[in-house]
Amino acid sequence: MLIKRPDDILPSEITPRELFERRREFIKAAGAFALAAGLPPLALAREAFPSLQKGAHSTLEPPNSLRDITTYNNFVEFGFGGKSQPAERAGAMRTHPWTVSIEGLVHKPRTLAIEDILKIAPLEERIYRLRCVEGWSMVIPWVGFPLAALIKQVEPLGSAKYVEFITQTEPAAMPGLRLPYIDFPYTEGLRLDEALHPLTIMAVGLYGDVLPNQNGAPLRLVVPWKYGFKSGKSIVKIRFTDKPPRTSWNIAQPDEYGFYANVNPEVSHPRWSQEKERRIGEFFKRKTLPFNGYADLVAPLYAGMDLRKNY
Amino acid sequence: MQPTPPQLAVLKAALFAACLWPLAQLGWLAWKDGLGANPIEFITRHLGTWTLNFLLITLAVTPLRHLSGWHWLIRLRRMLGLYVFFYALLHFLTYLWLDQFFDWMSIVKDIAKRPFITAGFTAFLLLIPLAVTSNAAMLKRLGGRRWTQLHRSVYAIAIIGVVHYWWLVKKDITLPLLYAVLLGILLGFRALRLARERQRQLRAAIYENG
């Protein structure tokens, strides 16, 4: 039998450089299309961050579409009733002016305007996997900077062991606040060493542009090796403490949502398995990886800990 | 109000078509790419919701019949009941095929270990004998009394169905609660009638025995 070697790729088949560099324009066009289709105007790209550094630890997996990332969200302040509610309602949230109060066990407590926060460190593109505790995942090209850079500014005291992240409450814009299921403001927390880890970022953008409200504008936490609910959105307060902060979902259902909430295929949610996940846009489920595939970077943080107990 | 046989036939045909609306909706949304970022989840939820809707609609026939005096409504009940099974079957197939892709290991594990799936699967299994015995021939074969006894299991199925929904939601129980309340009203109506009937019989017995 004759085995035919495939020919080399013809020059005519290679995408011209100008074409593939037009990704941003395409996103803009997609945004305009979304606007025309009646989607929130936030999907409209404005190219807010033209010169981005390529950050470390980005995955090479293809990112989900801007539409998927901005229309399939959990942001309970805007309702518990469906993944499209945040996109429909979050436009009403005011994100300017925006200040973040950094307080607690630090040498230099301060209140920073979002404009100053944007100058703390060079902004980077970080393409991270996001795994939701509900069993789905996405790949998201965030724009942000390491949280460690922000922490350095306020100089934590030696007694600071944990960091608490508190989300905005704006009753007029957030109908979810009136529902009795969660103690608002939405509060999340990390151990200080988790917060200082180079993977942990504060995100201010998405796909090279400002963060849409439903994704946590103007400033949100992103901790890619933990279930998504750990990554608090629209942060207004960061507090350094010596005790583990009480976190919203943990207060609501302690047996289902632990403080650590590291992605772990071996520890089932009491009501469903975490062994597999559906990557949005894919048909077949894929295996969930320990620490969402970031084990080589973060597993040492939990050396000697029983991850079944500390779920 | 008593429709003539041709009127009833038209009504039945219209109802048959109307009951396909939720399925048509899915087809339409799929065609115009409107199922959202997680289409499989959307389809599963939609079919599950409509299974419960049809279950409640079916259970509403008897109370409605008694309240309105429109006894011909009973003639529509079998079709509604079969639609419950139809949507439950589609819901189950979506789980089997689209969600799990026939990963039997994980399906068995799910059914055994996830209470909400155990409940849903149980309700589905219990629906099968009702669907199988829904026609007149089976009614005749079983005899009215046994047939009625068998079909009373629909009350249990409805309760298990609502529990299945309740256990699945993350935190917001608004909708499961709504279904529970509606089901409570529909079952409560029957309980009340039964109690009244018992009382009436008791009084009659006392009167007779003097």
Side-chain angles (χ1 to χ4, degrees), chain A residues 67-68 72 74 80-81 83 133-134 136 181 249 252-253 257 268-273 275-276 278 280-281 283-285, chain B residues 33-34 36-38 40-41 97-101 103 106 109-110 113-116 166-174:
Chain A
R67 182 178 162 200
D68 284 351
Y72 191 78
N74 284 319
F80 291 75
K83 294 280 186 297
V133 72
E134 297 165 349
W136 53 270
Y181 308 119
W249 277 108
Q253 266 159 311
Y257 309 101
S268 293
H269 183 280
R271 289 183 287 150
W272 56 82
S273 161
E275 280 169 28
K276 287 191 274 179
R278 170 160 290 113
I280 296 302
F283 178 72
F284 294 105
K285 288 189 173 180
Chain B
D33 194 20
N38 197 345
I40 296 172
E41 179 190 64
W97 179 32
L98 299 182
D99 190 60
Q100 299 288 328
F101 204 74
D103 178 350
S106 107
K109 253 204 258 175
D110 256 4
K113 283 172 76 178
R114 314 287 155 220
F116 85 93
W166 195 295
W167 282 348
L168 129 92
V169 298
K170 202 156 145 202
K171 194 67 197 166
D172 183 5
I173 48 145
T174 316

Side-chain angles (χ1 to χ4, degrees), chain A residues 239-261:
Chain A
R239 218 161 59 92
F240 291 76
T241 64
D242 52 357
K243 292 184 193 66
R246 302 200 60 205
T247 58
S248 288
W249 277 108
N250 184 241
I251 295 169
Q253 266 159 311
D255 57 326
E256 299 195 350
Y257 309 101
F259 173 77
Y260 283 97

Side-chain angles (χ1 to χ4, degrees), chain A:
Chain A
M1 199 176 85
L2 195 84
I3 298 173
K4 193 167 176 270
R5 255 183 50 135
D7 295 330
D8 285 325
I9 302 169
L10 290 170
S12 62
E13 285 176 356
I14 298 170
T15 313
R17 175 174 272 273
E18 315 86 75
L19 247 178
F20 72 72
E21 281 183 346
R22 256 189 249 150
R23 188 183 69 119
R24 296 259 154 84
E25 269 93 322
F26 171 75
I27 295 162
K28 260 188 205 160
F33 172 77
L35 189 70
L39 290 170
L42 295 158
L44 191 68
R46 275 168 301 178
E47 192 72 5
F49 311 114
S51 56
L52 283 178
Q53 300 193 357
K54 292 260 172 249
H57 312 305
S58 278
T59 172
L60 297 173
E61 294 163 89
N64 281 89
S65 71
L66 185 65
R67 182 178 162 200
D68 284 351
I69 296 170
T70 57
T71 57
Y72 191 78
N73 309 96
N74 284 319
F75 196 157
V76 288
E77 282 81 345
F78 297 103
F80 291 75
K83 294 280 186 297
S84 58
Q85 278 179 342
E88 289 154 10
R89 298 173 170 181
M93 175 172 67
R94 273 183 293 114
T95 57
H96 275 100
W98 192 276
T99 56
V100 181
S101 160
I102 306 169
E103 52 188 60
L105 304 173
V106 292
H107 283 292
K108 296 179 178 169
R110 58 211 302 192
T111 299
L112 292 170
I114 186 70
E115 292 77 12
D116 300 324
I117 291 173
L118 290 174
K119 290 177 206 145
I120 284 176
L123 295 179
E124 308 168 14
E125 180 181 66
R126 298 266 188 131
I127 307 174
Y128 280 168
R129 288 177 290 275
L130 178 141
R131 168 64 156 80
C132 178
V133 72
E134 297 165 349
W136 53 270
S137 64
M138 291 198 196
V139 174
I140 305 183
W142 300 110
V143 176
F145 60 90
L147 173 59
L150 182 85
I151 293 177
K152 214 159 74 183
Q153 297 248 321
V154 293
E155 299 175 17
L157 299 173
S159 54
K161 294 283 181 287
Y162 295 90
V163 194
E164 185 178 51
F165 301 86
I166 296 170
T167 294
Q168 169 75 316
T169 52
E170 191 191 331
M174 297 173 160
L177 296 179
R178 291 192 288 273
L179 297 170
Y181 308 119
I182 269 195
D183 273 354
F184 291 109
Y186 191 90
T187 304
E188 259 310 334
L190 296 173
R191 238 167 42 191
L192 185 60
D193 58 341
E194 295 175 324
L196 286 168
H197 193 279
L199 267 180
T200 307
I201 59 166
M202 294 307 291
V204 295
L206 181 64
Y207 261 119
D209 209 332
V210 289
L211 213 51
N213 285 7
Q214 62 267 38
N215 295 88
L219 180 75
R220 67 166 293 167
L221 181 64
V222 176
V223 197
W225 71 92
K226 291 173 182 284
Y227 292 119
F229 70 89
K230 289 299 289 181
S231 297
K233 301 187 179 79
S234 305
I235 299 297
V236 289
K237 194 183 284 186
I238 300 175
R239 218 161 59 92
F240 291 76
T241 64
D242 52 357
K243 292 184 193 66
R246 302 200 60 205
T247 58
S248 288
W249 277 108
N250 184 241
I251 295 169
Q253 266 159 311
D255 57 326
E256 299 195 350
Y257 309 101
F259 173 77
Y260 283 97
N262 293 317
V263 175
N264 189 344
E266 279 162 31
V267 177
S268 293
H269 183 280
R271 289 183 287 150
W272 56 82
S273 161
Q274 297 289 27
E275 280 169 28
K276 287 191 274 179
E277 68 200 47
R278 170 160 290 113
R279 173 72 50 84
I280 296 302
E282 291 182 354
F283 178 72
F284 294 105
K285 288 189 173 180
R286 40 167 85 211
K287 280 200 155 64
T288 288
L289 302 172
F291 298 104
N292 201 21
Y294 299 98
D296 52 335
L297 294 165
V298 298
L301 291 175
Y302 310 100
M305 275 175 68
D306 182 350
L307 295 177
R308 283 188 177 276
K309 258 189 214 146
N310 298 288
Y311 57 87

